[in-house]
């Protein structure tokens, strides 16, 4: 941590027992399939972090978002780990709630399913998943990917905040034009 940032699963940030800028050890958050839909499994009617099957962001509590997975077994849930013996859920197309995180500028970061609708959010540079340019912040375009391909202007492909096959918003490439003036 670089200050008194909140830590998922902990409380008391900035309190008398917290030290500015000190990291803390936490128990890893584990993916858990609780039902379809997961909303019926919680008193609040909203799914908790790393639980599923959610169908949309509105199924998830607070600032959590719902990752739309394709069932390939290659798409992890950002910020969550798979429990031992979880191949069946990992290879299914169930969707799970996760907490979007801030990462250093220029690093690929899955923040959810971007949308240009009034209740959606636009992806910033190196963020995804976008399906078209209108789902990116102004001045950015949607760069399609089919795996963990590198994206011009971004780093961190295949990292902990990247999701297999998710598209990313980037600055458009600008072609340089060189005027041909003939042979010397």
């Amino acid at each position: 941590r670089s200050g008194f940032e909140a830590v998922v699963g902990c409380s008391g940030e900035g309190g008398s027992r917290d030290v500015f800028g000190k990291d803390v050890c936490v128990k890893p958050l584990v993916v858990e399939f609780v039902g379809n839909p997961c909303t019926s499994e919680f008193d609040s009617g909203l799914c908790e972090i790393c639980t599923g099957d959610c169908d949309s962001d509105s199924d998830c509590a607070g600032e959590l978002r719902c990752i739309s997975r394709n069932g390939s077994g290659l798409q992890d849930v950002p910020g969550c780990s798979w429990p031992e013996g979880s191949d069946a859920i990992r290879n299914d197309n169930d969707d799970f709630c996760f907490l979007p995180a801030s990462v250093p500028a220029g690093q690929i970061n899955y923040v959810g399913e971007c949308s240009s609708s009034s209740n959606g959010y636009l992806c910033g540079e190196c963020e995804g998943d976008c399906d078209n340019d209108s789902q990116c912040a102004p001045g950015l375009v949607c760069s399609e990917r089919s795996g963990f391909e590198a994206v011009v202007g971004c780093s961190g492909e295949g990292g902990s905040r990247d999701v297999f096959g998710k598209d990313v918003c980037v600055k458009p490439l600008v072609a340089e034009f060189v005027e041909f003036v003939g042979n010397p």
Side-chain angles (χ1 to χ4, degrees):
R1 300 186 307 159
S2 60
F4 289 119
E5 293 89 359
V7 177
V8 174
C10 300
S11 61
E13 62 272 358
S16 63
R17 304 277 303 159
D18 195 5
V19 178
F20 185 87
K22 293 296 181 178
D23 298 332
V24 295
C25 296
V26 295
K27 184 177 179 182
L29 297 169
V30 178
V31 172
E32 180 182 9
F33 178 84
V34 296
N36 185 1
C38 58
T39 54
S40 61
E41 303 299 318
F42 296 95
D43 292 339
S44 68
L46 298 172
C47 309
E48 298 293 331
I49 191 165
C50 300
T51 64
D53 183 30
C54 53
D55 294 318
S56 68
D57 292 347
S58 62
D59 290 344
C60 301
E63 297 297 314
L64 301 178
R65 294 185 182 156
C66 182
I67 178 174
S68 178
R69 300 174 57 247
N70 66 13
S72 68
L74 299 172
Q75 292 181 321
D76 290 328
V77 180
C80 306
S81 59
W82 295 102
E84 194 168 317
S86 65
D87 288 347
I89 14 177
R90 187 176 191 159
N91 293 322
D92 203 349
N93 65 349
D94 293 314
D95 306 325
F96 296 89
C97 296
F98 75 100
L99 182 64
S102 296
V103 299
Q107 186 174 336
I108 294 175
N109 185 17
Y110 177 78
V111 295
E113 303 301 311
C114 304
S115 172
S116 55
S117 70
S118 61
N119 62 345
Y121 48 91
L122 298 177
C123 282
E125 187 174 4
C126 300
E127 291 181 343
D129 179 41
C130 54
D131 292 320
N132 56 60
D133 297 349
S134 69
Q135 296 176 337
C136 298
L140 301 176
V141 296
C142 184
S143 177
E144 294 184 15
R145 305 186 318 153
S146 58
F148 287 124
E149 293 92 353
V151 180
V152 175
C154 303
S155 63
E157 59 276 357
S160 65
R161 297 306 299 186
D162 191 8
V163 175
F164 186 87
K166 295 295 184 178
D167 304 328
V168 178
C169 294
V170 297
K171 289 181 182 172
L173 294 176
V174 179
E176 285 188 42
F177 293 98
V178 177
E179 185 179 340
F180 179 74
V181 291
N183 291 329

